[in-house]
Amino acid sequence: MRAIASIIDLDLKGIMRDGVMLINIGMSLVVVAIIAVVGIYNHDNPEMVAWFPFLIVMSVMTGPGGFGFLFGLLMVDEKDTGVRNVLAVAPIQPSVMLATRTLLMIAYLLAWPLLTVAAMNVTWQALPITYTELLLVAASFALIGPVTALAVASYASNKVEALALFKFISFLTIAPLALKFIPGDAWYRSLFLLSPSGPGYMAFDAFVDHRTFRAVMFAMIGITYNLVLLAVCIRYYQSTLHKTD
Protein backbone atom coordinates (compact mmCIF):
# COMPACT_ATOMS: atom_id res chain seq x y z
CA MET A 1 0.00 0.00 0.00
CA ARG A 2 2.88 2.37 0.74
CA ALA A 3 4.25 1.82 -2.76
CA ILE A 4 0.86 2.58 -4.31
CA ALA A 5 0.52 5.74 -2.21
CA SER A 6 3.97 6.85 -3.35
CA ILE A 7 3.03 6.35 -7.00
CA ILE A 8 -0.18 8.37 -6.56
CA ASP A 9 1.70 11.14 -4.79
CA LEU A 10 4.35 11.20 -7.54
CA ASP A 11 1.72 11.45 -10.28
CA LEU A 12 -0.27 14.17 -8.52
CA LYS A 13 2.85 16.28 -8.10
CA GLY A 14 3.73 15.77 -11.76
CA ILE A 15 0.26 16.86 -12.91
CA MET A 16 0.09 19.88 -10.60
CA ARG A 17 3.41 21.31 -11.78
CA ASP A 18 2.68 20.96 -15.49
CA GLY A 19 0.59 23.69 -17.12
CA VAL A 20 -0.39 21.57 -20.14
CA MET A 21 -1.79 18.86 -17.88
CA LEU A 22 -3.72 21.33 -15.74
CA ILE A 23 -5.24 22.92 -18.84
CA ASN A 24 -6.30 19.46 -20.05
CA ILE A 25 -8.10 18.79 -16.76
CA GLY A 26 -9.65 22.26 -16.77
CA MET A 27 -11.03 21.86 -20.29
CA SER A 28 -12.83 18.66 -19.27
CA LEU A 29 -14.63 20.55 -16.52
CA VAL A 30 -15.38 23.49 -18.83
CA VAL A 31 -17.08 21.22 -21.39
CA VAL A 32 -19.30 19.69 -18.69
CA ALA A 33 -20.15 23.14 -17.35
CA ILE A 34 -21.05 24.46 -20.82
CA ILE A 35 -23.36 21.52 -21.55
CA ALA A 36 -25.03 21.95 -18.15
CA VAL A 37 -25.54 25.70 -18.70
CA VAL A 38 -26.97 25.11 -22.18
CA GLY A 39 -29.46 22.76 -20.53
CA ILE A 40 -30.73 25.52 -18.25
CA TYR A 41 -32.03 27.47 -21.23
CA ASN A 42 -32.95 24.60 -23.56
CA HIS A 43 -34.28 21.74 -21.43
CA ASP A 44 -37.83 22.50 -22.60
CA ASN A 45 -36.89 22.81 -26.28
CA PRO A 46 -37.59 19.45 -27.98
CA GLU A 47 -35.19 20.16 -30.84
CA MET A 48 -32.32 20.83 -28.43
CA VAL A 49 -33.21 17.92 -26.13
CA ALA A 50 -32.93 15.62 -29.14
CA TRP A 51 -29.21 16.53 -29.22
CA PHE A 52 -28.62 15.73 -25.56
CA PRO A 53 -27.78 12.02 -26.15
CA PHE A 54 -25.13 13.09 -28.67
CA LEU A 55 -23.65 15.55 -26.16
CA ILE A 56 -23.50 12.77 -23.56
CA VAL A 57 -21.73 10.24 -25.76
CA MET A 58 -19.36 12.94 -27.02
CA SER A 59 -18.30 13.87 -23.48
CA VAL A 60 -17.98 10.24 -22.37
CA MET A 61 -16.06 9.25 -25.52
CA THR A 62 -13.50 12.07 -25.45
CA GLY A 63 -12.65 11.76 -21.75
CA PRO A 64 -10.53 8.55 -21.75
CA GLY A 65 -8.13 9.71 -24.45
CA GLY A 66 -7.55 13.07 -22.76
CA PHE A 67 -6.98 11.51 -19.36
CA GLY A 68 -4.71 8.86 -20.84
CA PHE A 69 -2.72 11.64 -22.46
CA LEU A 70 -2.06 13.12 -19.00
CA PHE A 71 -0.43 9.91 -17.82
CA GLY A 72 1.33 9.53 -21.15
CA LEU A 73 2.89 12.97 -20.66
CA LEU A 74 3.98 12.00 -17.15
CA MET A 75 5.69 8.90 -18.48
CA VAL A 76 7.32 10.81 -21.36
CA ASP A 77 8.54 13.40 -18.87
CA GLU A 78 10.04 10.63 -16.74
CA LYS A 79 11.91 9.35 -19.79
CA ASP A 80 13.00 12.82 -20.90
CA THR A 81 14.30 13.87 -17.47
CA GLY A 82 15.93 10.56 -16.55
CA VAL A 83 13.43 9.82 -13.78
CA ARG A 84 12.59 6.51 -15.46
CA ASN A 85 16.17 5.32 -15.00
CA VAL A 86 15.99 6.21 -11.31
CA LEU A 87 12.66 4.41 -10.92
CA ALA A 88 14.17 1.34 -12.54
CA VAL A 89 16.42 0.83 -9.50
CA ALA A 90 13.88 2.05 -6.93
CA PRO A 91 12.14 -0.35 -4.50
CA ILE A 92 8.92 0.08 -6.52
CA GLN A 93 8.91 -2.40 -9.37
CA PRO A 94 8.08 -0.99 -12.85
CA SER A 95 5.30 -3.57 -13.16
CA VAL A 96 3.71 -2.32 -9.91
CA MET A 97 3.83 1.28 -11.14
CA LEU A 98 2.34 0.31 -14.49
CA ALA A 99 -0.43 -1.77 -12.89
CA THR A 100 -1.25 0.98 -10.39
CA ARG A 101 -1.50 3.67 -13.03
CA THR A 102 -3.59 1.44 -15.28
CA LEU A 103 -6.05 0.48 -12.55
CA LEU A 104 -6.33 4.07 -11.32
CA MET A 105 -7.11 5.27 -14.84
CA ILE A 106 -9.76 2.60 -15.34
CA ALA A 107 -11.40 3.35 -11.96
CA TYR A 108 -11.43 7.07 -12.69
CA LEU A 109 -12.79 6.59 -16.21
CA LEU A 110 -15.63 4.45 -14.88
CA ALA A 111 -16.60 6.97 -12.19
CA TRP A 112 -16.06 10.21 -14.12
CA PRO A 113 -18.78 9.64 -16.79
CA LEU A 114 -21.36 8.81 -14.13
CA LEU A 115 -20.57 11.98 -12.17
CA THR A 116 -20.38 14.31 -15.16
CA VAL A 117 -23.47 12.97 -16.90
CA ALA A 118 -25.39 13.22 -13.62
CA ALA A 119 -24.24 16.85 -13.32
CA MET A 120 -25.33 17.64 -16.89
CA ASN A 121 -28.66 15.88 -16.44
CA VAL A 122 -29.51 18.10 -13.45
CA THR A 123 -30.38 20.86 -15.93
CA TRP A 124 -31.47 18.76 -18.91
CA GLN A 125 -33.55 16.11 -17.10
CA ALA A 126 -33.45 14.03 -20.29
CA LEU A 127 -31.05 11.15 -19.71
CA PRO A 128 -31.96 8.61 -22.44
CA ILE A 129 -30.44 5.53 -20.75
CA THR A 130 -30.08 4.19 -17.21
CA TYR A 131 -26.92 4.72 -15.19
CA THR A 132 -26.28 0.97 -15.28
CA GLU A 133 -26.31 1.11 -19.07
CA LEU A 134 -24.12 4.21 -18.98
CA LEU A 135 -21.60 2.34 -16.80
CA LEU A 136 -21.40 -0.45 -19.38
CA VAL A 137 -20.84 2.09 -22.15
CA ALA A 138 -18.17 3.81 -20.03
CA ALA A 139 -16.47 0.43 -19.51
CA SER A 140 -16.17 -0.01 -23.28
CA PHE A 141 -14.39 3.37 -23.45
CA ALA A 142 -12.36 3.25 -20.21
CA LEU A 143 -9.49 1.12 -21.49
CA ILE A 144 -8.76 3.73 -24.16
CA GLY A 145 -7.17 5.75 -21.32
CA PRO A 146 -4.30 3.37 -20.49
CA VAL A 147 -3.96 2.43 -24.18
CA THR A 148 -3.41 6.11 -25.04
CA ALA A 149 -1.00 6.59 -22.13
CA LEU A 150 1.15 3.61 -23.10
CA ALA A 151 1.11 4.45 -26.81
CA VAL A 152 2.28 7.99 -26.08
CA ALA A 153 4.90 6.82 -23.57
CA SER A 154 6.23 4.15 -25.93
CA TYR A 155 6.55 6.14 -29.13
CA ALA A 156 7.13 9.75 -28.03
CA SER A 157 10.52 10.91 -26.79
CA ASN A 158 9.40 14.44 -25.83
CA LYS A 159 6.23 16.44 -25.24
CA VAL A 160 6.09 17.79 -28.80
CA GLU A 161 6.05 14.26 -30.21
CA ALA A 162 3.57 13.24 -27.51
CA LEU A 163 1.16 16.00 -28.54
CA ALA A 164 1.44 15.08 -32.23
CA LEU A 165 0.77 11.40 -31.47
CA PHE A 166 -2.14 12.32 -29.22
CA LYS A 167 -3.75 14.31 -32.05
CA PHE A 168 -3.60 11.21 -34.24
CA ILE A 169 -5.07 8.99 -31.51
CA SER A 170 -7.78 11.58 -30.85
CA PHE A 171 -8.77 11.54 -34.50
CA LEU A 172 -9.16 7.77 -34.37
CA THR A 173 -11.19 7.82 -31.17
CA ILE A 174 -13.58 10.66 -32.05
CA ALA A 175 -14.18 9.49 -35.63
CA PRO A 176 -17.27 7.43 -34.63
CA LEU A 177 -19.05 10.69 -33.73
CA ALA A 178 -19.58 10.99 -37.49
CA LEU A 179 -22.08 8.10 -37.19
CA LYS A 180 -24.59 10.68 -35.94
CA PHE A 181 -24.74 12.06 -39.48
CA ILE A 182 -24.49 8.80 -41.46
CA PRO A 183 -27.63 6.93 -42.58
CA GLY A 184 -28.40 3.87 -40.48
CA ASP A 185 -28.36 1.58 -43.51
CA ALA A 186 -25.03 2.81 -44.91
CA TRP A 187 -22.74 -0.16 -45.56
CA TYR A 188 -19.65 1.66 -44.31
CA ARG A 189 -21.00 2.20 -40.79
CA SER A 190 -19.37 -1.09 -39.75
CA LEU A 191 -15.94 0.32 -40.67
CA PHE A 192 -16.16 2.52 -37.55
CA LEU A 193 -15.86 -0.64 -35.45
CA LEU A 194 -12.14 -0.45 -36.28
CA SER A 195 -11.92 2.59 -34.01
CA PRO A 196 -11.32 1.76 -30.32
CA SER A 197 -14.40 3.84 -29.48
CA GLY A 198 -16.59 2.61 -32.34
CA PRO A 199 -18.22 -0.32 -30.49
CA GLY A 200 -18.89 1.88 -27.46
CA TYR A 201 -20.62 4.52 -29.57
CA MET A 202 -22.79 1.86 -31.20
CA ALA A 203 -23.57 0.41 -27.77
CA PHE A 204 -24.76 3.80 -26.58
CA ASP A 205 -26.92 4.26 -29.69
CA ALA A 206 -28.46 0.83 -29.21
CA PHE A 207 -29.27 1.55 -25.55
CA VAL A 208 -30.95 4.81 -26.58
CA ASP A 209 -33.04 2.85 -29.08
CA HIS A 210 -33.88 0.26 -26.35
CA ARG A 211 -32.12 -2.55 -28.22
CA THR A 212 -30.55 -3.93 -25.07
CA PHE A 213 -29.09 -7.18 -26.43
CA ARG A 214 -27.45 -5.37 -29.36
CA ALA A 215 -26.11 -2.72 -26.98
CA VAL A 216 -24.57 -5.26 -24.59
CA MET A 217 -23.03 -7.11 -27.52
CA PHE A 218 -21.34 -3.95 -28.83
CA ALA A 219 -20.17 -3.02 -25.33
CA MET A 220 -18.58 -6.44 -24.89
CA ILE A 221 -16.91 -6.13 -28.29
CA GLY A 222 -15.53 -2.74 -27.25
CA ILE A 223 -14.18 -4.04 -23.94
CA THR A 224 -12.57 -7.07 -25.61
CA TYR A 225 -11.09 -5.02 -28.43
CA ASN A 226 -9.53 -2.51 -26.04
CA LEU A 227 -8.27 -5.25 -23.74
CA VAL A 228 -6.36 -6.69 -26.70
CA LEU A 229 -4.98 -3.23 -27.54
CA LEU A 230 -3.99 -2.75 -23.89
CA ALA A 231 -2.16 -6.09 -23.80
CA VAL A 232 -0.25 -5.18 -26.98
CA CYS A 233 0.63 -1.73 -25.62
CA ILE A 234 1.83 -3.14 -22.30
CA ARG A 235 4.02 -5.68 -24.06
CA TYR A 236 5.54 -3.06 -26.33
CA TYR A 237 6.02 -0.53 -23.51
CA GLN A 238 7.85 -3.11 -21.43
CA SER A 239 10.09 -3.90 -24.39
CA THR A 240 11.05 -0.21 -24.62
CA LEU A 241 11.99 -0.27 -20.94
CA HIS A 242 14.38 -3.15 -21.58
CA LYS A 243 15.89 -1.31 -24.52
CA THR A 244 16.38 1.75 -22.34
CA ASP A 245 18.06 -0.38 -19.71
Side-chain angles (χ1 to χ4, degrees):
M1 290 300 294
R2 181 175 295 180
I4 293 174
S6 298
I7 295 169
I8 295 173
D9 182 60
L10 176 67
D11 288 345
L12 286 176
K13 288 179 179 177
I15 292 173
M16 294 303 295
R17 69 168 178 263
D18 193 297
V20 175
M21 298 183 194
L22 290 175
I23 290 173
N24 195 303
I25 294 173
M27 286 303 296
S28 299
L29 295 173
V30 168
V31 170
V32 173
I34 290 174
I35 294 175
V37 170
V38 170
I40 295 175
Y41 302 101
N42 295 279
H43 67 278
D44 55 353
N45 182 339
E47 292 183 0
M48 290 298 296
V49 170
W51 280 92
F52 186 50
F54 181 74
L55 296 177
I56 291 174
V57 73
M58 180 180 67
S59 66
V60 175
M61 180 187 294
T62 55
F67 190 70
F69 179 56
L70 288 180
F71 276 83
L73 277 182
L74 284 175
M75 296 161 81
V76 168
D77 192 50
E78 289 171 357
K79 177 167 59 176
D80 195 34
T81 59
V83 172
R84 180 182 293 183
N85 293 331
V86 175
L87 292 174
V89 296
I92 302 174
Q93 294 295 320
S95 59
V96 173
M97 177 168 285
L98 181 58
T100 300
R101 284 174 168 169
T102 299
L103 292 175
L104 282 175
M105 274 188 274
I106 293 172
Y108 171 86
L109 292 170
L110 289 175
W112 180 251
L114 299 179
L115 296 174
T116 54
V117 170
M120 292 186 289
N121 195 50
V122 167
T123 57
W124 285 91
Q125 292 295 308
L127 185 64
I129 64 177
T130 68
Y131 284 102
T132 301
E133 292 168 342
L134 178 62
L135 180 62
L136 190 56
V137 172
S140 69
F141 291 134
L143 292 171
I144 296 174
V147 167
T148 301
L150 290 170
V152 169
S154 298
Y155 289 99
S157 57
N158 54 60
K159 290 184 179 179
V160 175
E161 291 182 3
L163 184 58
L165 181 57
F166 174 61
K167 288 180 179 179
F168 174 71
I169 295 173
S170 294
F171 174 77
L172 291 178
T173 54
I174 67 173
L177 291 175
L179 288 168
K180 170 71 174 176
F181 311 100
I182 295 176
D185 59 351
W187 66 267
Y188 51 87
R189 286 181 67 91
S190 59
L191 295 178
F192 286 91
L193 289 172
L194 297 175
S195 167
S197 56
Y201 183 96
M202 293 183 182
F204 180 85
D205 257 5
F207 275 130
V208 171
D209 292 339
H210 305 293
R211 294 179 292 175
T212 304
F213 177 79
R214 181 182 177 87
V216 173
M217 179 188 69
F218 276 128
M220 291 298 104
I221 291 173
I223 292 171
T224 303
Y225 182 20
N226 286 304
L227 273 174
V228 172
L229 289 178
L230 180 59
V232 172
C233 287
I234 289 174
R235 186 179 181 87
Y236 185 76
Y237 176 72
Q238 289 177 330
S239 73
T240 63
L241 290 180
H242 294 314
K243 288 178 183 178
T244 301
D245 294 338

